[in-house]
Amino acid sequence: AQKVTQAQTEISVVEKEDVTLDCVYETRDTTYYLFWYKQPPSGELVFLIRRNSFDEQNEISGRYSWNFQKSTSSFNFTITASQVVDSAVYFCALKTSYDKVIFGPGTSLSVIP
Amino acid sequence: NAGVTQTPKFRVLKTGQSMTLLCAQDMNHEYMYWYRQDPGMGLRLIHYSVGEGTTAKGEVPDGYNVSRLKKQNFLLGLESAAPSQTSVYFCASRGGQVQETQYFGPGTRLLVL
């Protein structure tokens, strides 16, 4: 069975703090893809990153970074020097060899000025 | 290039009424999906389509029907709406390669009284 867990339901940080959003996944497939999406208060879903199971390199994009560790089945997302515009719900998702994408329940991040 | 669009943006129904949600994409994508989003539950897959004329059930298909008569359109129907179908509905599409990312529409907010 495939499953995505985001144990942190809500996180609040003060602006400029670093914050890490956790994502743990379960799958028996050896080939799979992991995603992060952002849902700001306006409601749309914005794609942030895709990582395939063969590529464990960490990714950095500006203030965003992602740590993929197959040994712990985790794909964590860190925002450095958080800003108010980072306030959103963040979803981690898993796609295996089938056509479906499984989403985690989401983590609501509030950045307080 | 509008990406993925959804019609309508918001709708109020009475219990027992029927309606159809329209999703349209102009990216020539093979795969299309309908999700519902409820608080604390992330996105759950209702139905999906792997190509024109084909549909398949997702995680929560009961009470919904779909049709993909044209490649660019994916319709979601509620034959007899129930209050439990109050939700935000998202459509998504992606290309035919297994690694391709899903892109989402802006969502339809449905309230069933």
Side-chain angles (χ1 to χ4, degrees), chain B:
Chain B
N1 188 337
V4 181
T5 58
Q6 293 182 230
T7 308
K9 289 185 169 54
F10 176 69
R11 184 76 182 268
V12 178
L13 288 179
K14 294 181 180 178
T15 297
Q17 287 186 318
S18 63
M19 78 163 294
T20 300
L21 281 67
L22 170 64
C23 176
Q25 52 93 6
D26 60 3
M27 297 174 281
N28 201 34
H29 282 171
E30 292 293 332
Y31 294 78
M32 296 187 74
Y33 305 80
W34 276 108
Y35 292 88
R36 60 177 288 173
Q37 182 180 23
D38 303 292
M41 302 189 75
L43 284 84
R44 292 182 293 169
L45 182 64
I46 305 171
H47 286 280
Y48 64 103
S49 169
V50 302
E52 182 178 324
T54 71
T55 63
K57 293 180 180 179
E59 189 183 354
V60 288
D62 294 342
Y64 305 95
N65 57 75
V66 288
S67 64
R68 184 100 180 267
L69 298 180
K70 294 182 179 180
K71 187 177 183 179
Q72 64 267 33
N73 296 336
F74 194 30
L75 279 64
L76 177 70
L78 286 73
E79 289 188 350
S80 179
S84 60
Q85 294 178 304
T86 293
S87 188
V88 179
Y89 292 85
F90 285 97
C91 176
S93 72
R94 71 173 181 89
Q97 298 300 312
V98 67
Q99 71 275 18
E100 292 204 36
T101 300
Q102 284 182 322
Y103 292 95
F104 285 82
T108 294
R109 190 174 296 274
L110 176 65
L111 175 61
V112 183
L113 301 176

Side-chain angles (χ1 to χ4, degrees), chain A residues 33 35 37 39 42-45 47 50 89 91 95-106, chain B residues 31 33 35 37 40-43 45 48 50 57-58 90 94 98-106:
Chain A
Y33 302 87
F35 304 83
Y37 286 86
Q39 186 176 42
S42 51
E44 73 272 23
L45 283 152
F47 164 72
R50 179 186 73 218
V89 180
F91 292 98
K95 182 180 183 300
T96 63
S97 56
Y98 300 97
D99 299 316
K100 304 172 189 177
V101 177
I102 307 297
F103 283 81
Chain B
Y31 294 78
Y33 305 80
Y35 292 88
Q37 182 180 23
M41 302 189 75
L43 284 84
L45 182 64
Y48 64 103
V50 302
K57 293 180 180 179
F90 285 97
R94 71 173 181 89
V98 67
Q99 71 275 18
E100 292 204 36
T101 300
Q102 284 182 322
Y103 292 95
F104 285 82

